[in-house]
Amino acid sequence: MANTAPETIEEPFPIFKVAHHYLIYDVNIVSHIRREYNICGVLSGTLPQSPQQNVFQGLPLQLMPEEARVLIEKGVAYLEDDHAAHKRTFLGNGMSAEEKRAYQAALRRQGAAAAKEAGRKKAADKMAALSRKSDTNKTENWNDIPEDMLKPASGRRKNGKGKKGDQTPSDRPSDTEEALFDSSTPDTTTNGHDSVPADITTDPDPLLVTPTVSVPPLHSTPPPRNTSTPQRSPVPTPASYPLFAHLHSKGYYLSPGLRFGCQYVAYPGDPLRFHSHFLCNGMEWDEEFDLLDVVSAGRLGTGVKKGFLLGGEMDGAKGEDGEDNVRTFCVEWAGM
Amino acid sequence: MNNLTSHHTPSPTVDQSAQTNNATQGKAMGAQRDNNTPHPAPSSLQTLLNTTAPVKSCSPHLQHLALQVAHTLKFQHNWTDIRIHYNASPSPSNANPSSSPLPRPVLSGLPPARLYTHPDEQIALLQAQKAAGNAGQALAVQPQREWVLPTQLRERWTLRKFGEVFDGLGAVPGPAEGVEVFRRGEVGLGVEVEVEDVDVDVMGRDQVGLEEGERKWRLEVPKRLLLATLDDDSTVAFYIVHDGIVKPRQN
């Protein structure tokens, strides 16, 4: 990663919303937002066969709603609602007739290409099997083959087990099938190593393709930028969002705080290089909390060499020069 | 304000009467109790509460809460020079502090040892020590006066309350602020030992008791106070609260 030149990322990039999760599928964007915008997210992709294996997870990257909102409000990302897009395009008849034709043609092309590829592979396998057959079986008379097969193994296969399976040496694992059916092609010449059978040079019927992705025909387009009207954030966030944005603007890396019983864990730099400094809880300015929560979080934080940081947005107008209005308090055990 | 200081100092006779009360009660033990049996002597804490005059700007339960925390600081943590502050500290934006009461009384006091050292100050001290060639020894730091915010565990608290308290406090408790609860050299209620009057001006200390090298680490960092949370069983938990983002100590 470090020695390759960073990919240029086209901004704004899409954040995909799937079932109220905010996902990023592109590894280049993942490294880009970590490098440029202090946003790590959580890799949440598992192997389909072993979803319990969660030590090394991969794409997609899941963002907290706060992270998605910060990126969107910075103007470097936009939200793409997968559910709405699918509904609109496929159920709501959102595709024009021309688009539909183009898509169907593309699917047919894909199917034809797949069929051609399958046919070519089949033919190549057949040729390979036949050539092996002709190499090992010296007899030119193909009518002898059945009698040959009934005989015990001879020649270089003398030490074999003498069963039918021994025609499959370990270095040629794929020829069993072809060897079983080679009698079905008696008319093929034995030394036709390079010749391609005539029946597959013509296009076979296209395979029917079931698309597994919807990226064509769906495509994400950034919304038109209108800076004049500040619209409501498309990402619903908890009341702790002002604290998140405040700490993020101060350069902290924030990750989910479940492991420490708080909302966010704040790192002074990249979490791979730094220990975290704070367990953070954000709340509204007049939101009541128990002092017992302060004591327990302060004690837990001190126990793991962190401070407990709580904060929220003061009421009143926003400060001048774009400064936010968030006030924070740090709690540490006094040791007495 | 000054009448409070004269009020709160109990006379030695209080202690003597307490002893006689204990003696008489001991004799009455096991015998038929009658209405003439004197009450047990009030506890040390109750005496402190009784002998402190109420303050108009402060509700009694908050004052008693502060006094109880002060009592704990004095007798369980050996703090000295404990003062109770009913009014906001003077500040440039607050010309007449006596007219702006704090949301609740706040204490200030001098702990027996330094309560809090900023992590960067600690690094600076260690480097200075290394340069002086006596690395490995304990850091020689003087205690500093601290603010103490008394709270009760069953209170519901808000960020606004923290903000209001911090807004009323200066970075360091000023020398003339507040009302004395326990003087320097006072070892018990009404029992005093003679201490030589430690002049704050000696040893290069300024009027709030900070040395030259300490000023930067107290006045230019966010304010701090000691959150003292009292439970019903009179346990007090102490937590340091900073008015801003202060990285944690590496302890």
Side-chain angles (χ1 to χ4, degrees):
Chain A
M1 261 329 227
N3 51 8
T4 58
E7 296 261 341
T8 50
I9 301 297
E10 202 175 311
E11 290 177 352
F13 52 82
I15 296 173
F16 297 96
K17 181 185 176 192
V18 183
H20 303 285
H21 294 285
Y22 301 92
L23 302 174
I24 288 177
Y25 295 96
D26 187 343
V27 70
N28 293 320
I29 295 177
V30 169
S31 56
H32 175 71
I33 59 173
R34 186 174 185 131
R35 192 169 52 235
E36 301 290 331
Y37 302 116
N38 297 0
I39 290 208
C40 297
V42 176
L43 287 167
S44 60
T46 56
L47 299 171
Q49 296 298 321
S50 53
Q52 299 296 311
Q53 165 60 271
N54 57 5
V55 180
F56 301 108
Q57 293 190 313
L59 292 173
L61 184 82
Q62 185 177 342
L63 299 175
M64 286 189 278
E66 293 90 331
E67 291 174 318
R69 182 169 165 188
V70 157
L71 289 172
I72 290 167
E73 292 193 348
K74 270 177 174 294
V76 300
Y78 61 94
L79 193 66
E80 192 67 58
D81 190 336
D82 263 12
H83 180 242
H86 279 78
K87 246 178 146 171
R88 189 174 58 242
T89 310
F90 296 123
L91 299 179
N93 219 0
M95 294 168 78
S96 66
E98 193 179 334
E99 277 177 318
K100 270 185 197 165
R101 266 199 306 279
Y103 182 48
Q104 281 164 346
L107 280 185
R108 261 198 306 278
R109 273 198 303 280
Q110 207 180 339
K116 198 169 173 180
E117 175 63 26
R120 207 166 55 76
K121 185 171 183 304
K122 193 172 155 195
D125 285 351
K126 192 155 68 182
M127 294 313 297
L130 285 172
S131 67
R132 277 197 301 280
K133 193 80 188 166
S134 63
D135 285 347
T136 53
N137 202 340
K138 291 303 176 197
T139 177
E140 292 293 312
N141 188 354
W142 283 89
N143 291 328
D144 289 347
I145 291 172
E147 284 86 5
D148 245 49
M149 289 172 73
L150 292 174
K151 278 193 248 170
S154 62
R156 66 179 180 90
R157 278 176 274 141
K158 197 170 187 176
N159 296 330
K161 294 200 171 76
K163 296 216 172 79
K164 193 177 80 175
D166 75 342
Q167 294 199 355
T168 307
S170 60
D171 58 338
R172 272 177 281 175
S174 66
D175 64 353
T176 314
E177 209 177 325
E178 285 80 8
L180 285 176
F181 296 115
D182 59 357
S183 60
S184 66
T185 57
D187 53 344
T188 313
T189 52
T190 53
N191 54 355
H193 221 299
D194 301 320
S195 72
V196 176
D199 58 337
I200 59 161
T201 53
T202 60
D203 279 349
D205 285 343
L207 299 178
L208 293 177
V209 174
T210 304
T212 53
V213 294
S214 46
V215 157
L218 283 186
H219 45 85
S220 52
T221 47
R225 195 173 286 236
N226 48 349
T227 49
S228 56
T229 53
Q231 57 218 22
R232 214 169 55 81
S233 168
V235 183
T237 43
S240 55
Y241 177 73
L243 177 70
F244 180 94
H246 177 74
L247 292 173
H248 183 263
S249 72
K250 298 232 175 266
Y252 283 95
Y253 284 65
L254 294 147
S255 66
L258 173 65
R259 277 175 290 182
F260 294 108
C262 58
Q263 286 175 313
Y264 315 111
V265 181
Y267 294 79
D270 192 297
L272 289 176
R273 296 184 59 208
F274 291 89
H275 284 297
S276 58
H277 274 182
F278 299 112
L279 316 177
C280 310
N281 265 1
M283 56 196 78
E284 283 163 23
W285 194 238
D286 280 317
E287 190 176 332
E288 290 194 329
F289 55 90
D290 267 327
L291 280 166
L292 198 57
D293 296 341
V294 177
V295 171
S296 50
R299 191 60 186 244
L300 170 73
T302 305
V304 292
K305 301 190 177 186
K306 305 181 198 325
F308 173 51
L309 188 152
L310 66 173
E313 194 169 29
M314 291 189 286
D315 48 13
K318 293 236 175 199
E320 304 87 46
D321 53 53
E323 189 87 342
D324 60 15
N325 210 12
V326 173
R327 189 162 176 180
T328 53
F329 303 101
C330 289
V331 180
E332 286 178 76
W333 185 49
M336 58 180 274
Chain B
M1 287 296 140
N2 281 336
N3 63 339
L4 283 173
T5 47
S6 61
H7 260 284
H8 95 280
T9 314
S11 64
T13 53
V14 172
D15 270 2
Q16 286 171 4
S17 66
Q19 282 169 3
T20 48
N21 279 346
N22 279 339
T24 47
Q25 211 205 346
K27 275 181 210 158
M29 217 45 109
Q32 183 79 33
R33 271 177 168 266
D34 54 34
N35 290 337
N36 297 330
T37 307
H39 291 291
S43 66
S44 167
L45 174 62
Q46 188 62 50
T47 310
L48 176 65
L49 300 182
N50 290 343
T51 53
T52 305
V55 174
K56 220 183 294 173
S57 66
C58 165
S59 70
H61 68 276
L62 288 174
Q63 188 193 25
H64 286 183
L65 174 67
L67 289 171
Q68 186 170 352
V69 170
H71 193 269
T72 305
L73 287 172
K74 168 73 186 167
F75 294 106
Q76 290 193 26
H77 299 285
N78 294 327
W79 283 39
T80 52
D81 200 4
I82 299 171
R83 304 171 78 89
I84 184 165
H85 302 251
Y86 298 102
N87 292 320
S89 299
S91 67
S93 62
N94 182 12
N96 188 9
S98 61
S99 66
S100 57
L102 286 167
R104 65 172 58 201
V106 173
L107 301 165
S108 71
L110 192 65
R114 177 76 78 85
L115 192 65
Y116 177 83
T117 310
H118 191 282
D120 289 340
E121 183 187 7
Q122 191 172 21
I123 291 171
L125 285 168
L126 287 168
Q127 280 171 343
Q129 223 176 34
K130 192 181 170 196
N134 52 357
Q137 294 178 12
L139 289 175
V141 289
Q142 295 300 316
Q144 294 177 355
R145 283 188 75 80
E146 302 287 344
W147 291 113
V148 183
L149 173 64
T151 55
Q152 222 283 346
L153 187 63
R154 283 192 286 175
E155 285 182 79
R156 301 285 286 166
W157 202 254
T158 63
L159 293 178
R160 178 189 297 280
K161 292 183 183 175
F162 272 136
E164 284 172 352
V165 170
F166 271 118
D167 287 343
L169 301 180
V172 194
E177 290 176 45
V179 182
E180 272 190 335
V181 183
F182 296 106
R183 280 201 300 278
R184 284 183 79 88
E186 186 177 359
V187 295
L189 284 174
V191 183
E192 295 194 34
V193 294
E194 283 299 318
V195 287
E196 62 267 43
D197 213 8
V198 180
D199 196 352
V200 289
D201 292 328
V202 299
M203 300 174 341
R205 297 180 150 252
D206 63 8
Q207 53 180 347
V208 292
L210 294 176
E211 286 173 16
E212 185 54 40
E214 295 173 351
R215 295 179 57 80
K216 170 180 163 196
W217 298 110
R218 188 70 199 260
L219 305 180
E220 293 172 21
V221 297
K223 294 180 214 173
R224 65 169 186 254
L225 56 74
L226 192 62
L227 176 71
T229 306
L230 176 76
D231 195 4
D232 290 345
D233 62 357
S234 73
T235 311
V236 189
F238 294 99
Y239 282 82
I240 290 168
V241 181
H242 301 275
D243 183 19
I245 301 179
V246 179
K247 65 179 173 182
R249 290 176 290 179
Q250 296 300 308
N251 44 11

